Coordinates of all heavy atoms in Angstrom, one line a residue:
G49 N 128.7 120.6 145.1 CA 128.4 122.1 145.3 C 127.1 122.4 144.7 O 126.6 121.8 143.8
V50 N 126.5 123.5 145.2 CA 125.2 124.0 144.8 C 125.3 125.5 144.4 O 125.7 126.3 145.2 CB 124.1 123.8 145.8 CG1 122.8 124.3 145.4 CG2 124.0 122.3 146.2
F51 N 125.0 125.8 143.1 CA 125.0 127.2 142.7 C 123.6 127.7 142.7 O 122.7 127.1 142.2 CB 125.6 127.3 141.2 CG 126.9 126.7 141.1 CD1 127.1 125.5 140.3 CD2 128.0 127.2 141.7 CE1 128.4 125.0 140.1 CE2 129.3 126.7 141.6 CZ 129.5 125.6 140.8
I52 N 123.4 128.9 143.3 CA 122.1 129.6 143.3 C 122.2 130.8 142.3 O 123.1 131.6 142.5 CB 121.8 130.1 144.7 CG1 122.0 129.0 145.7 CG2 120.3 130.6 144.7 CD1 121.0 127.9 145.7
V53 N 121.4 130.8 141.3 CA 121.4 132.0 140.4 C 120.3 132.9 140.8 O 119.1 132.6 140.7 CB 121.2 131.5 138.9 CG1 121.4 132.7 138.0 CG2 122.3 130.4 138.6
L54 N 120.7 134.1 141.3 CA 119.7 135.1 141.7 C 119.6 136.2 140.7 O 120.6 136.5 139.9 CB 120.1 135.7 143.1 CG 120.3 134.8 144.3 CD1 120.7 135.6 145.5 CD2 119.0 134.0 144.5
S55 N 118.5 136.9 140.7 CA 118.4 138.1 139.9 C 119.4 139.2 140.4 O 119.6 139.3 141.6 CB 116.9 138.6 140.1 OG 116.9 140.0 140.0
P56 N 120.0 140.0 139.5 CA 120.9 141.0 139.9 C 120.3 142.0 140.9 O 121.0 142.5 141.8 CB 121.2 141.7 138.6 CG 121.0 140.8 137.5 CD 119.8 139.9 138.0
G57 N 119.0 142.2 140.9 CA 118.4 143.1 141.8 C 117.8 142.4 143.1 O 117.0 143.1 143.8
D58 N 118.1 141.2 143.3 CA 117.5 140.5 144.4 C 117.9 141.1 145.8 O 119.0 141.3 146.1 CB 118.0 139.0 144.4 CG 117.3 138.1 145.5 OD1 117.4 138.5 146.7 OD2 116.7 137.1 145.1
I59 N 116.8 141.5 146.6 CA 117.1 142.1 147.9 C 116.6 141.2 149.0 O 116.6 141.5 150.2 CB 116.3 143.4 148.0 CG1 114.8 143.2 147.6 CG2 116.9 144.5 147.1 CD1 113.9 144.3 148.1
H60 N 116.2 139.9 148.7 CA 115.6 139.0 149.7 C 116.6 138.0 150.2 O 116.6 137.7 151.4 CB 114.4 138.3 149.1 CG 113.4 139.3 148.5 ND1 112.6 140.0 149.4 CD2 113.0 139.6 147.3 CE1 111.8 140.8 148.6 NE2 112.0 140.5 147.3
W61 N 117.4 137.4 149.3 CA 118.3 136.3 149.7 C 119.1 136.6 151.0 O 119.2 135.8 151.9 CB 119.3 136.0 148.6 CG 120.4 135.1 148.9 CD1 121.6 135.3 149.4 CD2 120.2 133.6 148.9 NE1 122.3 134.2 149.6 CE2 121.5 133.1 149.3 CE3 119.2 132.7 148.5 CZ2 121.7 131.7 149.4 CZ3 119.5 131.4 148.5 CH2 120.7 130.9 149.0
S62 N 119.7 137.9 151.1 CA 120.6 138.2 152.2 C 119.8 138.4 153.5 O 120.4 138.6 154.5 CB 121.4 139.4 151.8 OG 120.5 140.5 151.6
Q63 N 118.5 138.4 153.4 CA 117.7 138.5 154.7 C 117.6 137.2 155.5 O 117.0 137.2 156.6 CB 116.3 139.1 154.4 CG 116.4 140.5 153.8 CD 115.1 141.1 153.4 OE1 114.1 140.6 153.9 NE2 115.1 142.1 152.6
Y64 N 118.1 136.1 154.9 CA 118.0 134.9 155.6 C 119.4 134.4 156.0 O 120.4 134.8 155.4 CB 117.3 133.8 154.7 CG 115.9 134.2 154.2 CD1 115.8 134.9 153.0 CD2 114.8 134.0 155.0 CE1 114.5 135.3 152.6 CE2 113.5 134.4 154.6 CZ 113.4 135.1 153.4 OH 112.2 135.5 152.9
D65 N 119.4 133.4 156.9 CA 120.7 132.9 157.3 C 121.0 131.5 156.6 O 120.2 130.6 156.8 CB 120.7 132.6 158.9 CG 121.9 132.0 159.4 OD1 122.9 131.9 158.6 OD2 121.9 131.5 160.5
W66 N 122.0 131.5 155.7 CA 122.2 130.3 154.9 C 123.5 129.6 155.4 O 124.0 128.7 154.7 CB 122.4 130.7 153.4 CG 121.2 131.4 152.9 CD1 121.0 132.8 152.7 CD2 120.0 130.8 152.5 NE1 119.8 133.0 152.2 CE2 119.1 131.8 152.1 CE3 119.5 129.5 152.5 CZ2 117.8 131.6 151.7 CZ3 118.2 129.2 152.1 CH2 117.4 130.3 151.7
S67 N 124.0 130.0 156.6 CA 125.3 129.5 157.0 C 125.4 128.0 157.2 O 126.4 127.4 157.0 CB 125.7 130.2 158.3 OG 124.7 130.0 159.3
E68 N 124.2 127.3 157.4 CA 124.3 125.9 157.6 C 124.7 125.2 156.3 O 125.1 124.0 156.3 CB 123.0 125.3 158.1 CG 121.8 125.4 157.1 CD 120.5 124.8 157.6 OE1 120.4 123.6 157.7 OE2 119.6 125.6 157.8
F69 N 124.6 125.9 155.1 CA 125.0 125.3 153.9 C 126.3 125.9 153.3 O 126.6 125.7 152.1 CB 123.9 125.5 152.8 CG 122.5 125.0 153.3 CD1 121.4 125.9 153.4 CD2 122.3 123.7 153.6 CE1 120.2 125.4 153.8 CE2 121.1 123.2 154.0 CZ 120.0 124.1 154.2
S70 N 127.0 126.7 154.1 CA 128.1 127.5 153.5 C 129.2 126.6 152.9 O 129.9 127.1 152.0 CB 128.7 128.3 154.6 OG 129.2 127.5 155.7
Q71 N 129.3 125.3 153.3 CA 130.4 124.5 152.7 C 130.1 124.2 151.2 O 131.0 124.0 150.4 CB 130.3 123.1 153.4 CG 130.6 123.2 154.8 CD 131.9 122.4 155.2 OE1 132.2 121.4 154.5 NE2 132.7 122.9 156.1
K72 N 128.9 124.2 150.8 CA 128.5 123.8 149.4 C 127.9 124.9 148.6 O 127.9 124.8 147.3 CB 127.6 122.6 149.4 CG 128.2 121.3 149.9 CD 127.3 120.1 149.5 CE 127.9 118.8 150.0 NZ 127.1 117.6 149.7
L73 N 127.4 126.0 149.2 CA 126.6 126.9 148.5 C 127.4 128.1 147.9 O 128.3 128.6 148.5 CB 125.6 127.5 149.5 CG 124.2 127.9 149.0 CD1 123.5 126.7 148.4 CD2 123.4 128.4 150.2
T74 N 127.2 128.4 146.6 CA 127.8 129.6 145.9 C 126.6 130.4 145.3 O 125.8 129.8 144.5 CB 128.8 129.2 144.8 OG1 129.8 128.3 145.4 CG2 129.4 130.4 144.2
V75 N 126.6 131.6 145.6 CA 125.5 132.5 145.0 C 126.1 133.2 143.8 O 127.2 133.8 143.9 CB 125.1 133.6 146.1 CG1 124.1 134.6 145.4 CG2 124.4 132.9 147.2
L76 N 125.4 133.1 142.7 CA 125.8 133.8 141.5 C 124.7 134.8 141.1 O 123.6 134.3 140.8 CB 126.0 132.8 140.3 CG 127.0 131.7 140.6 CD1 126.9 130.5 139.6 CD2 128.4 132.2 140.7
Q77 N 124.9 136.0 141.2 CA 123.8 137.0 141.0 C 123.8 137.5 139.5 O 124.0 138.7 139.2 CB 124.0 138.2 142.0 CG 122.7 138.8 142.3 CD 122.6 139.4 143.7 OE1 123.5 139.3 144.5 NE2 121.5 140.1 144.0
F78 N 123.5 136.5 138.7 CA 123.6 136.8 137.2 C 122.3 136.3 136.5 O 122.3 136.0 135.3 CB 124.7 136.1 136.6 CG 126.1 136.5 137.1 CD1 126.8 135.8 138.0 CD2 126.6 137.7 136.6 CE1 128.0 136.2 138.5 CE2 127.9 138.2 137.1 CZ 128.6 137.4 138.0
G79 N 121.2 136.3 137.2 CA 119.9 135.9 136.6 C 119.6 136.7 135.4 O 120.0 137.9 135.3
G80 N 118.8 136.1 134.4 CA 118.5 136.7 133.2 C 117.0 136.9 133.1 O 116.2 136.6 134.0
A81 N 116.5 137.2 131.8 CA 115.1 137.5 131.6 C 114.3 136.3 131.6 O 113.1 136.3 131.8 CB 115.0 138.3 130.3
T82 N 114.9 135.1 131.2 CA 114.1 133.9 131.2 C 114.9 132.8 132.0 O 116.1 133.0 132.3 CB 114.0 133.3 129.7 OG1 115.4 133.0 129.3 CG2 113.4 134.3 128.8
R83 N 114.2 131.7 132.3 CA 114.8 130.6 133.0 C 116.1 130.2 132.3 O 117.1 130.0 132.9 CB 113.9 129.5 133.2 CG 114.4 128.3 134.0 CD 113.5 127.1 134.0 NE 113.9 126.0 134.8 CZ 114.8 125.1 134.4 NH1 115.4 125.2 133.2 NH2 115.1 124.1 135.2
A84 N 116.0 130.0 131.0 CA 117.1 129.5 130.2 C 118.3 130.5 130.3 O 119.4 130.1 130.4 CB 116.7 129.3 128.7
D85 N 118.0 131.8 130.3 CA 119.1 132.8 130.4 C 119.7 132.7 131.8 O 121.0 132.8 131.9 CB 118.5 134.2 130.3 CG 118.1 134.5 128.9 OD1 118.5 133.9 127.9 OD2 117.2 135.5 128.7
S86 N 118.9 132.5 132.8 CA 119.5 132.4 134.2 C 120.4 131.2 134.3 O 121.5 131.3 134.9 CB 118.3 132.3 135.2 OG 117.6 133.5 135.2
V87 N 119.9 130.0 133.7 CA 120.8 128.8 133.8 C 122.1 129.0 133.0 O 123.2 128.8 133.5 CB 120.0 127.6 133.3 CG1 120.9 126.4 133.2 CG2 118.8 127.3 134.1
L88 N 122.0 129.6 131.8 CA 123.2 129.8 131.0 C 124.1 130.8 131.7 O 125.3 130.5 131.8 CB 122.8 130.3 129.6 CG 123.9 130.6 128.7 CD1 124.8 129.4 128.4 CD2 123.4 131.1 127.3
N89 N 123.6 131.9 132.2 CA 124.5 132.8 132.9 C 125.1 132.2 134.1 O 126.3 132.5 134.3 CB 123.6 134.1 133.3 CG 123.1 134.9 132.2 OD1 123.5 134.6 131.0 ND2 122.3 135.9 132.5
G90 N 124.4 131.4 134.8 CA 125.0 130.7 136.0 C 126.1 129.8 135.6 O 127.2 129.7 136.2
L91 N 125.9 129.0 134.5 CA 126.9 128.1 134.0 C 128.2 128.8 133.6 O 129.3 128.4 133.9 CB 126.3 127.2 132.8 CG 125.3 126.2 133.2 CD1 124.7 125.6 131.9 CD2 125.8 125.1 134.1
I92 N 128.0 129.9 132.9 CA 129.1 130.6 132.4 C 129.9 131.2 133.6 O 131.1 131.1 133.6 CB 128.7 131.7 131.4 CG1 128.2 131.1 130.1 CG2 129.8 132.7 131.1 CD1 127.6 132.0 129.1
A93 N 129.2 131.8 134.5 CA 129.8 132.4 135.7 C 130.6 131.4 136.5 O 131.7 131.6 136.9 CB 128.8 133.1 136.6
A94 N 130.0 130.2 136.7 CA 130.7 129.1 137.5 C 131.9 128.7 136.7 O 132.9 128.4 137.4 CB 129.7 128.0 137.7
Q95 N 131.9 128.6 135.4 CA 133.1 128.2 134.7 C 134.2 129.3 134.7 O 135.3 129.0 134.9 CB 132.7 127.8 133.2 CG 131.9 126.5 133.1 CD 131.3 126.3 131.7 OE1 131.9 125.6 130.9 NE2 130.1 126.8 131.5
Q96 N 133.7 130.5 134.6 CA 134.7 131.6 134.6 C 135.4 131.7 135.9 O 136.6 132.0 136.0 CB 134.0 132.9 134.3 CG 133.8 133.1 132.8 CD 133.0 134.4 132.5 OE1 132.4 135.0 133.3 NE2 132.9 134.7 131.2
K97 N 134.7 131.3 137.0 CA 135.3 131.3 138.4 C 136.0 130.0 138.7 O 136.5 129.8 139.8 CB 134.2 131.6 139.4 CG 133.6 132.9 139.4 CD 132.4 133.0 140.3 CE 131.5 134.2 140.2 NZ 132.1 135.4 140.8
N98 N 136.1 129.1 137.7 CA 136.8 127.8 137.8 C 136.2 127.0 139.0 O 136.9 126.3 139.7 CB 138.3 128.0 138.1 CG 139.0 128.4 136.8 OD1 138.7 128.0 135.7 ND2 140.0 129.3 137.0
L99 N 134.9 127.1 139.1 CA 134.2 126.3 140.2 C 133.8 125.0 139.6 O 133.3 124.1 140.4 CB 133.0 127.1 140.7 CG 133.4 128.5 141.3 CD1 132.1 129.3 141.6 CD2 134.2 128.2 142.6
I100 N 133.8 124.8 138.3 CA 133.2 123.6 137.7 C 134.0 123.4 136.4 O 134.5 124.3 135.8 CB 131.7 123.8 137.4 CG1 131.1 122.5 136.9 CG2 131.5 124.9 136.4 CD1 129.6 122.6 136.9
N101 N 134.2 122.1 136.1 CA 134.9 121.7 134.9 C 133.9 121.3 133.8 O 132.8 120.9 134.0 CB 135.8 120.5 135.1 CG 137.0 120.9 136.0 OD1 137.6 121.9 135.8 ND2 137.2 120.1 137.1
P102 N 134.3 121.4 132.5 CA 133.4 121.2 131.4 C 132.7 119.8 131.4 O 131.6 119.7 131.0 CB 134.3 121.3 130.1 CG 135.4 122.2 130.6 CD 135.6 121.9 132.0
Q103 N 133.4 118.8 131.9 CA 132.9 117.5 131.9 C 132.1 117.1 133.2 O 131.6 116.0 133.3 CB 134.0 116.4 131.7 CG 134.5 116.4 130.2 CD 133.3 116.4 129.2 OE1 132.5 115.5 129.3 NE2 133.2 117.3 128.3
D104 N 132.1 118.0 134.2 CA 131.3 117.8 135.4 C 129.8 117.8 135.0 O 129.4 118.4 134.1 CB 131.5 118.9 136.4 CG 132.9 118.7 137.1 OD1 133.4 117.6 137.1 OD2 133.4 119.8 137.5
W105 N 129.0 117.0 135.8 CA 127.6 117.0 135.6 C 126.9 118.2 136.4 O 127.4 118.6 137.5 CB 127.0 115.7 136.2 CG 127.3 114.5 135.5 CD1 128.2 113.5 135.8 CD2 126.6 114.0 134.3 NE1 128.2 112.5 134.8 CE2 127.2 112.8 133.9 CE3 125.6 114.5 133.5 CZ2 126.8 112.0 132.8 CZ3 125.1 113.8 132.4 CH2 125.7 112.6 132.1
V106 N 125.9 118.7 135.8 CA 125.1 119.8 136.4 C 123.7 119.3 136.5 O 123.1 118.9 135.5 CB 125.1 121.1 135.6 CG1 124.4 122.2 136.4 CG2 126.5 121.6 135.3
L107 N 123.1 119.4 137.7 CA 121.7 119.0 137.9 C 121.0 120.3 138.1 O 121.1 121.0 139.2 CB 121.5 118.1 139.2 CG 122.0 116.7 139.0 CD1 123.5 116.6 139.2 CD2 121.3 115.8 140.0
V108 N 120.2 120.7 137.1 CA 119.5 122.0 137.2 C 118.1 121.7 137.9 O 117.4 120.8 137.4 CB 119.3 122.6 135.8 CG1 118.5 124.0 136.0 CG2 120.6 122.8 135.1
H109 N 117.9 122.4 139.0 CA 116.6 122.2 139.7 C 115.9 123.5 140.0 O 116.5 124.4 140.5 CB 117.0 121.5 141.0 CG 115.7 121.1 141.8 ND1 114.8 120.2 141.3 CD2 115.3 121.4 143.0 CE1 113.8 120.0 142.2 NE2 114.1 120.8 143.2
D110 N 114.6 123.5 139.8 CA 113.8 124.7 140.0 C 113.7 124.9 141.5 O 113.4 124.0 142.3 CB 112.3 124.5 139.5 CG 112.2 124.3 138.0 OD1 113.1 125.0 137.3 OD2 111.3 123.6 137.5
A111 N 113.8 126.2 141.9 CA 113.6 126.6 143.3 C 112.2 126.3 143.7 O 111.9 126.1 144.9 CB 113.9 128.1 143.4
A112 N 111.3 126.2 142.7 CA 109.9 126.0 143.0 C 109.4 124.6 143.1 O 108.3 124.3 143.0 CB 109.1 126.8 141.9
R113 N 110.4 123.7 143.2 CA 110.1 122.2 143.5 C 110.7 121.9 144.8 O 111.7 121.2 144.9 CB 110.6 121.3 142.4 CG 110.0 121.6 141.0 CD 110.5 120.6 140.0 NE 110.0 121.0 138.7 CZ 108.9 120.6 138.1 NH1 108.1 119.8 138.8 NH2 108.5 121.0 136.9
P114 N 110.0 122.3 145.9 CA 110.6 122.1 147.2 C 110.4 120.7 147.8 O 111.1 120.3 148.7 CB 109.7 123.1 148.1 CG 108.4 123.1 147.4 CD 108.7 123.0 145.9
C115 N 109.6 119.8 147.1 CA 109.3 118.5 147.7 C 110.2 117.4 147.1 O 110.0 116.2 147.3 CB 107.9 118.2 147.5 SG 106.8 119.3 148.3
L116 N 111.3 117.8 146.3 CA 112.2 116.8 145.8 C 112.7 115.9 147.0 O 113.1 116.5 148.0 CB 113.4 117.5 145.1 CG 114.6 116.6 144.7 CD1 114.2 115.8 143.5 CD2 115.8 117.5 144.4
T117 N 112.8 114.6 146.8 CA 113.3 113.8 147.8 C 114.8 113.3 147.5 O 115.1 113.3 146.3 CB 112.5 112.5 148.0 OG1 112.5 111.7 146.9 CG2 111.0 112.9 148.4
S118 N 115.5 112.9 148.5 CA 116.8 112.3 148.2 C 116.8 111.0 147.4 O 117.7 110.7 146.7 CB 117.6 112.2 149.5 OG 116.9 111.4 150.4

Side-chain angles (χ1 to χ4, degrees):
V50 177
F51 304 114
I52 311 291
V53 183
L54 300 182
S55 147
D58 187 302
I59 51 164
H60 304 288
W61 173 266
S62 59
Q63 295 178 19
Y64 303 94
D65 177 10
W66 302 103
S67 55
E68 69 180 289
F69 305 121
S70 57
Q71 298 243 328
K72 288 196 182 179
L73 216 53
T74 303
V75 173
L76 303 168
Q77 207 149 355
F78 296 102
T82 66
R83 180 188 185 280
D85 290 338
S86 296
V87 174
L88 178 58
N89 292 353
L91 290 174
I92 290 172
Q95 288 170 91
Q96 279 173 350
K97 292 172 190 281
N98 286 323
L99 298 172
I100 188 167
N101 291 314
Q103 287 310 306
D104 286 336
W105 288 101
V106 184
L107 287 83
V108 182
H109 184 62
D110 294 329
R113 293 185 191 272
C115 302
L116 173 72
T117 65
S118 55

